[in-house]
Amino acid sequence: QVQLVESGGGLVQTGGSLRLSCLASGSIFSINNLGWYRQAPGKQRELVAAITSGGSTNYADSVKGRFTISRDNSKNTVYLQMNSLKPEDTAVYYCNARRSGDYDVLRRARDYWGQGTQVTVSS
């Protein structure tokens, strides 16, 4: 099992910045992919950014050039630096982890989730 705890959310004005952190604990030795997802009211959860164990990154088009994902393996932590925030970035942000070789009964990669942290951008 993997436990994920997010922090760093809050209220910020348009154009402001926030930095989210996610601390992983438990059986973390085989974590390969780490990511941030978000879910706004009435919308589906969507991928914001992801990073592999090798450092490759992937971003949603809506955040490219504004958000940066990074990881510090020595601290078991993944970060999301969010700049130039917009009201449409308002959502609950969730940390996600996947481990190598960890599948559910349907052979899908097992997802581990944090409890979420609220980000609100005022106009």
Side-chain angles (χ1 to χ4, degrees):
Q1 292 293 319
V2 175
Q3 293 79 45
L4 303 170
V5 178
E6 302 101 333
S7 60
L11 173 64
V12 65
Q13 291 185 333
T14 296
S17 298
L18 283 175
R19 187 194 196 203
L20 304 183
S21 300
C22 174
L23 175 64
S25 62
S27 300
I28 62 174
F29 55 91
S30 56
I31 288 179
N32 47 13
N33 292 342
L34 288 165
W36 289 95
Y37 287 70
R38 66 186 180 188
Q39 187 167 18
K43 294 187 177 181
Q44 289 189 332
R45 191 172 298 189
E46 62 175 359
L47 174 68
V48 176
I51 186 167
T52 68
S53 56
S56 297
T57 58
N58 180 42
Y59 295 93
D61 288 342
S62 59
V63 306
K64 283 181 181 177
R66 301 188 298 123
F67 291 11
T68 302
I69 189 171
S70 61
R71 63 192 289 175
D72 186 337
N73 292 328
S74 68
K75 296 182 179 179
N76 301 324
T77 301
V78 60
Y79 305 97
L80 185 67
Q81 178 66 45
M82 304 186 294
N83 299 328
S84 302
L85 283 161
K86 305 174 181 179
E88 50 264 44
D89 295 318
T90 295
V92 177
Y93 283 69
Y94 296 92
C95 182
N96 171 271
R98 289 183 174 180
R99 299 192 302 174
S100 176
D102 190 356
Y103 300 100
D104 63 18
V105 294
L106 298 178
R107 299 299 296 170
R108 298 171 302 189
R110 191 184 308 276
D111 285 307
Y112 295 92
W113 297 98
Q115 82 286 354
T117 185
Q118 177 70 46
V119 171
T120 303
V121 184
S122 63
S123 56

